[in-house]
């Protein structure tokens, strides 16, 4: 899989740009603040419908513009598909597939697959559980695009059920209140079970890739492992060595429904939903200790890198080569970690790299360079591709 063309309009610092890209490696060179990361962010948005830098879409729209557009021509196994998305201020986003509108933006998910490694990935190890839940869910959705609808439905039901819990907890609980809550329990359990089954399958299949990736990066360190943490699932479901079963979804739905009933009184007292995948966590372990709080700075970087390399290898096993996005990361890594990442990048079908200077790019990754600079006033600077020189070799 590779991107043959990328088009931006009013996205971040890019007023207008149309880039022709090729398989192999492309390096975007430029000083910090010139807009090179914005290019990778745009590509990542097409793949995940989200930014790795901000939670909301509003900052992605160029200051003074009403909307931003991102488009790409994606080639996979000789077949070309064009995907476009329009981000709108104060309105729903719109998407197109081969220039024809689709009902929902999520219908373009899966056409472009990417794995992005960026300095923000340190939060996968050191950040809040939400960072690791997002990692799981985005990777699950890349593997199974229809899961985007399940995630959306789960979030909607969770909001409505949580609002009902707050209301019922503050007032006299009528039979009508509790009957309505029973109905929302059923909806929540249905969507939760699908999401849980995919997360547990992901942890099971990612586990060996993660262990191998970490071993190659830090062979002298303690062994790395992952696990799924949940306060309401039986222990046998949490063992990453457990093979997923065909009837897991039905069994998980029954478990969630049962646990919601058991937690009913506590939820009414606190006004929050205490059972469901929104409360769960991806455990990262070094030896027998949690990586968060116990890993050194170098070990944390190694674990973050291993998670991304494991994701890349897992997607490869499904027969599609994802586009690898490396956002200004080589300057953050020591020689061993640079070498491990460069070895994977050297074999990828397409790699898009950002770097401040050519020396940041490993020698193994001789690449086509595109220099990015900005012009204009400080509060409304515009990014441009200003030159292409000979191959970069650090």
């Amino acid at each position: 899989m590779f991107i043959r063309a990328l088009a931006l309009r009013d996205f971040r610092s890019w007023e207008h740009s149309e880039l022709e890209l090729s398989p192999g490696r492309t390096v975007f060179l430029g000083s910090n603040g010139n807009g090179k990361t914005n290019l990778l962010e745009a590509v990542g948005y097409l793949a995940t419908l989200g930014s790795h830098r901000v939670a909301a879409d509003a900052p992605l729209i160029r200051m003074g513009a009403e909307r931003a557009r991102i488009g790409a021509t994606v080639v996979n196994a000789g077949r070309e598909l064009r995907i476009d998305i329009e981000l709108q201020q104060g309105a729903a986003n719109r998407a197109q597939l081969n220039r024809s509108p689709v009902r929902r933006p999520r219908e373009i998910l899966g056409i472009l697959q990417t794995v992005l490694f960026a300095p923000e990935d340190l939060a996968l190890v050191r950040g809040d559980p939400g960072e690791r839940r997002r990692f799981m869910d985005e990777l699950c959705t890349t593997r199974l695009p229809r899961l985007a609808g399940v995630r959306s439905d789960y979030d909607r039901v969770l909001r409505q059920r949580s609002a009902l819990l707050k209301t019922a907890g503050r007032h006299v609980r009528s039979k009508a209140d509790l009957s309505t809550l029973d109905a929302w329990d059923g909806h929540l359990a249905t969507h939760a079970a699908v999401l849980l089954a995919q997360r547990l399958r992901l942890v099971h299949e990612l586990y060996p890739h993660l262990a191998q990736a970490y071993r190659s990066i830090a062979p002298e360190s303690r062994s790395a492992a992952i696990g799924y943490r949940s306060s309401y699932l039986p222990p046998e479901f949490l063992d990453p060595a457990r093979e997923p079963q065909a009837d897991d979804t039905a069994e998980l739905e029954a478990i969630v429904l049962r646990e919601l009933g058991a937690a009913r009184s506590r939820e009414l007292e606190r006004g929050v939903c205490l059972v469901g995948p929104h409360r769960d966590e991806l455990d990262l372990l070094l030896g027998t200790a949690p990586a968060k709080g116990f890993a050194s700075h170098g070990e944390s970087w190694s674990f973050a890198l291993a998670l991304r390399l494991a994701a890349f290898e897992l997607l490869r096993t499904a027969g599609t080569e994802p586009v690898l996005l490396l956002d200004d990361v080589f300057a953050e890594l020591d020689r061993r970690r640079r070498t491990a990442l460069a070895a994977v990048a050297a074999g990828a079908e397409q790699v898009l790299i950002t770097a401040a200077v050519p020396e940041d790019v490993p020698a193994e990754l001789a690449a086509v360079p595109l220099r990015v600079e900005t012009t204009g006033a400080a509060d409304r600077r515009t990014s441009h591709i200003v030159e292409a020189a000979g191959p970069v070799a650090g």
Side-chain angles (χ1 to χ4, degrees):
M1 174 180 292
F2 68 93
I3 300 168
R4 185 179 63 75
L6 177 67
L8 305 180
R9 183 173 290 278
D10 292 324
F11 181 85
R12 291 280 198 182
S13 58
W14 293 84
E15 185 176 14
H16 177 68
S17 181
E18 294 188 4
L19 299 176
E20 295 293 326
L21 299 170
S22 303
R25 296 170 292 281
T26 300
V27 177
F28 299 102
L29 294 171
S31 303
N32 291 338
N34 277 0
K36 59 187 188 297
T37 290
N38 299 343
L39 293 169
L40 269 58
E41 184 179 26
V43 172
Y45 194 99
L46 285 173
T48 65
L49 299 185
S51 163
H52 70 286
R53 301 159 77 191
V54 294
D57 288 347
L60 307 180
I61 301 173
R62 182 173 164 78
M63 187 176 297
E66 294 183 358
R67 58 185 60 85
R69 296 184 181 91
I70 317 168
T73 301
V74 181
V75 182
N76 188 10
R79 182 189 181 200
E80 281 196 1
L81 291 173
R82 170 76 185 202
I83 51 176
D84 295 89
I85 191 159
E86 182 178 87
L87 315 180
Q88 302 187 90
Q89 295 277 16
N93 296 340
R94 298 185 294 188
Q96 293 182 335
L97 174 59
N98 288 337
R99 309 290 187 181
S100 297
V102 295
R103 289 179 57 201
R104 300 180 182 90
R106 65 175 182 250
E107 291 179 34
I108 69 171
L109 287 171
I111 293 171
L112 173 63
Q113 294 187 6
T114 64
V115 172
L116 182 145
F117 186 51
E120 289 84 355
D121 280 346
L122 202 57
L124 286 174
V125 181
R126 295 186 166 183
D128 294 332
E131 298 284 349
R132 293 175 285 280
R133 286 194 292 266
R134 177 183 173 185
F135 169 79
M136 285 192 289
D137 291 344
E138 286 190 350
L139 187 51
C140 283
T141 304
T142 298
R143 283 157 44 96
L144 187 68
R146 71 175 180 84
L147 196 65
V150 176
R151 291 168 60 191
S152 178
D153 289 342
Y154 180 81
D155 289 343
R156 174 181 54 81
V157 171
L158 179 62
R159 287 193 301 270
Q160 292 171 322
R161 185 176 183 275
S162 297
L164 181 59
L165 284 170
K166 291 178 182 178
T167 301
R170 287 195 300 263
H171 300 92
V172 176
R173 299 167 199 167
S174 68
K175 290 184 178 179
D177 284 337
L178 298 182
S179 175
T180 303
L181 196 53
D182 287 340
W184 285 118
D185 285 0
H187 294 314
L188 191 79
T190 298
H191 301 312
V194 178
L195 182 54
L196 285 167
Q198 292 304 316
R199 283 187 182 179
L200 292 168
R201 178 179 294 274
L202 174 72
V203 170
H204 170 73
E205 295 181 3
L206 192 66
Y207 184 94
H209 294 292
L210 178 280
Q212 174 58 39
Y214 190 84
R215 198 159 46 240
S216 69
I217 297 166
E220 76 291 344
S221 179
R222 296 164 287 175
S223 60
I226 54 174
Y228 195 80
R229 188 197 309 173
S230 173
S231 63
Y232 55 90
L233 291 181
E236 60 268 22
F237 276 93
L238 305 180
D239 181 357
R242 175 187 180 272
E243 289 281 350
Q245 303 298 312
D247 61 348
D248 277 355
T249 301
E251 189 171 352
L252 288 165
E253 183 174 350
I255 291 169
V256 172
L257 198 57
R258 183 187 68 226
E259 293 300 315
L260 285 169
R264 173 71 61 85
S265 60
R266 290 182 290 122
E267 289 186 327
L268 287 167
E269 289 174 4
R270 296 175 58 178
V272 295
C273 184
L274 298 176
V275 175
H278 64 288
R279 308 278 297 190
D280 296 347
E281 163 77 296
L282 177 66
D283 270 337
L284 310 180
L285 302 171
L286 280 177
T288 58
K292 183 177 180 180
F294 288 87
S296 68
H297 183 74
E299 288 173 327
S300 296
W301 267 116
S302 294
F303 215 127
L305 177 56
L307 283 169
R308 293 302 189 190
L309 295 183
F312 185 76
E313 293 299 332
L314 181 62
L315 293 175
R316 270 178 154 177
T317 62
T320 297
E321 184 96 2
V323 177
L324 188 58
L325 309 176
L326 306 178
D327 182 23
D328 225 0
V329 295
F330 287 113
E332 301 278 353
L333 303 176
D334 61 20
R335 177 176 296 180
R336 176 174 287 162
R337 296 179 184 92
R338 285 164 61 99
T339 299
L341 181 54
V344 173
E349 185 171 3
Q350 186 178 53
V351 189
L352 304 181
I353 305 167
T354 66
V357 294
E359 292 73 24
D360 285 344
V361 183
E364 310 91 293
L365 296 182
V368 175
L370 298 174
R371 189 166 296 280
V372 179
E373 291 187 359
T374 56
T375 59
D379 62 344
R380 192 172 165 80
R381 295 180 69 81
T382 301
S383 297
H384 306 276
I385 301 292
V386 295
E387 78 176 68
V392 169

